[in-house]
Amino acid sequence: MDSELEKYILEHIEPEGDYLYRLWRSTNVSLINGRMASGHLQGRLLKMFVRMLQPHYILEIGTFSGYSAICLAEGLDQGGMVYTFEIDDELEDFTRPWIEGSPVADKIRFIIGDAITEAPKLGISFDMVFLDGDKRTYSAAYEMSLSVLRPGGFIFADNTLWDSHVLEIPQSGDRQTASIEAFNDMLAHDNRVEKVILPIRDGMTIIRKK
């Protein structure tokens, strides 16, 4: 997106608020690949999706710094819960204080572990899933998500255009691009769901389980 157009958009949507702004800044200063955090525009979009769908239980795969988990939780009604899984335990010291210090800490359960194996053990029928973890395991994470998602529930899969690299033949050893392309191809032929790709930021696919 053109930088001037993005600036215009951010000036005409709901502000992200001081806490999220400080988290965004700290993420980019303290962590490698800080741009992976959702940020202002996508964060407000996630909150709006939650407001629209009114889920009770949300599963997030890939917490990173906690920005998106907080945005999802902001949209929840009282009693709703975000279960967010982060497989990289080295992020815990950074992320946990930001989540626990947020105004919506009571709506977020932050879990260190592999969502693919651990989320089904919760025994919860989820209403919504935000898939934003390891791109190399997207297809496996998707299948797990479908198994714990109620009929009519939604999956939001991030980074599905992958900086337009999906239009290229992956270089040898580039498992992330190859896995995203395989996920997109598989999803295109999956009759269990309805789907559409939004060209926002790095691409987001909205998936509805039939």
Side-chain angles (χ1 to χ4, degrees):
M1 183 184 299
D2 177 86
S3 60
E4 288 300 311
L5 182 58
E6 182 174 11
K7 180 175 181 291
Y8 178 86
I9 291 172
L10 296 182
E11 289 173 349
H12 290 80
I13 64 173
E14 180 187 2
E16 62 184 333
D18 178 67
Y19 193 84
L20 284 170
Y21 174 74
R22 288 190 289 112
L23 173 54
W24 169 259
R25 292 279 298 170
S26 184
T27 297
N28 282 271
V29 168
S30 305
L31 301 180
I32 298 173
N33 296 322
R35 66 185 291 270
M36 292 194 308
S38 289
H40 185 178
L41 175 56
Q42 184 170 308
R44 295 306 85 194
L45 184 62
L46 290 173
K47 179 183 176 182
M48 187 67 77
F49 285 148
V50 175
R51 291 288 198 211
M52 292 166 62
L53 299 174
Q54 298 183 315
H56 191 69
Y57 294 122
I58 300 174
L59 171 63
E60 180 180 48
I61 304 173
T63 314
F64 192 46
S65 68
Y67 190 104
S68 54
I70 293 171
C71 294
L72 292 165
E74 284 181 335
L76 284 173
D77 291 333
Q78 193 62 35
M81 185 66 65
V82 176
Y83 292 82
T84 180
F85 283 82
E86 176 53 56
I87 199 169
D88 184 356
D89 59 2
E90 293 185 357
L91 287 169
E92 183 171 12
D93 287 346
F94 178 90
T95 302
R96 191 171 295 282
W98 278 102
I99 288 178
E100 294 182 351
S102 76
V104 290
D106 62 326
K107 297 180 180 180
I108 303 173
R109 183 176 172 193
F110 175 42
I111 304 166
I112 294 293
D114 186 351
I116 295 173
T117 58
E118 298 305 309
K121 296 177 183 178
L122 295 173
I124 295 172
S125 179
F126 288 95
D127 307 295
M128 176 177 168
V129 178
F130 183 45
L131 175 54
D132 192 24
D134 186 347
K135 312 312 167 194
R136 296 168 294 184
T137 61
Y138 252 34
S139 293
Y142 167 71
E143 289 295 342
M144 182 280 295
S145 297
L146 269 188
S147 74
V148 299
L149 186 70
R150 66 166 176 81
F154 284 82
I155 299 172
F156 296 83
D158 201 16
N159 307 117
T160 50
L161 295 181
W162 203 234
D163 279 337
S164 297
H165 293 309
V166 291
L167 300 177
E168 306 166 0
I169 298 175
Q171 297 181 2
S172 177
D174 184 359
R175 290 181 57 202
Q176 294 192 90
T177 299
S179 295
I180 287 291
E181 291 184 0
F183 170 74
N184 288 341
D185 290 344
M186 177 270 295
L187 190 60
H189 297 94
D190 190 347
N191 294 323
R192 298 170 296 175
V193 298
E194 301 170 76
K195 55 272 181 180
V196 63
I197 299 176
L198 298 182
I200 180 175
R201 291 189 77 216
D202 207 12
M204 181 184 291
T205 303
I206 303 176
I207 305 156
R208 180 184 180 274
K209 181 178 178 179
K210 294 180 180 178

